[in-house]
Amino acid sequence: MRQDLYEWIKNDGDQLQYLRLQPIWYRKLTRNPQEIEKFGTDTVFHFEKSIPQRVNKLTNGVQVASMMLGMLQSMNFKG
């Protein structure tokens, strides 16, 4: 693998970890260094850090908080 690509990957902990989890990327990036963008995209989706995944997490958190608040209010209302 080219040294500049490896340095770029090494600067991002998630990408380095993903490279270790998916060693096929060593071969892919060695043969086709222009696939670095696809590697970055795969890393983001693997660690669930894409914008749709983050929005989904936020939505789920708000729903849980709303449900808990509703339960708390119903318990206070009865008691």
Side-chain angles (χ1 to χ4, degrees), residues 29-41:
L29 292 173
T30 300
R31 293 178 182 168
N32 298 315
Q34 64 273 12
E35 288 193 16
I36 192 71
E37 289 181 25
K38 184 168 180 353
F39 172 72
T41 304

Side-chain angles (χ1 to χ4, degrees), residues 9-25:
I9 290 169
K10 199 166 76 170
N11 287 333
D12 185 352
D14 287 343
Q15 288 183 347
L16 186 60
Q17 185 177 4
Y18 185 65
L19 187 61
R20 290 177 178 159
L21 291 172
Q22 300 292 327
I24 189 72
W25 275 105

Side-chain angles (χ1 to χ4, degrees), residues 23-79:
I24 189 72
W25 275 105
Y26 280 112
R27 188 176 307 144
K28 285 183 181 181
L29 292 173
T30 300
R31 293 178 182 168
N32 298 315
Q34 64 273 12
E35 288 193 16
I36 192 71
E37 289 181 25
K38 184 168 180 353
F39 172 72
T41 304
D42 284 358
T43 301
V44 167
F45 277 101
H46 176 78
F47 289 108
E48 298 180 357
K49 291 187 176 182
S50 69
I51 292 174
Q53 290 168 326
R54 287 183 178 192
V55 169
N56 192 19
K57 281 183 186 179
L58 178 65
T59 303
N60 289 342
V62 169
Q63 286 176 349
V64 168
S66 175
M67 182 183 68
M68 296 296 276
L69 184 60
M71 287 174 53
L72 183 62
Q73 287 175 344
S74 69
M75 287 173 59
N76 284 340
F77 182 70
K78 291 179 182 178

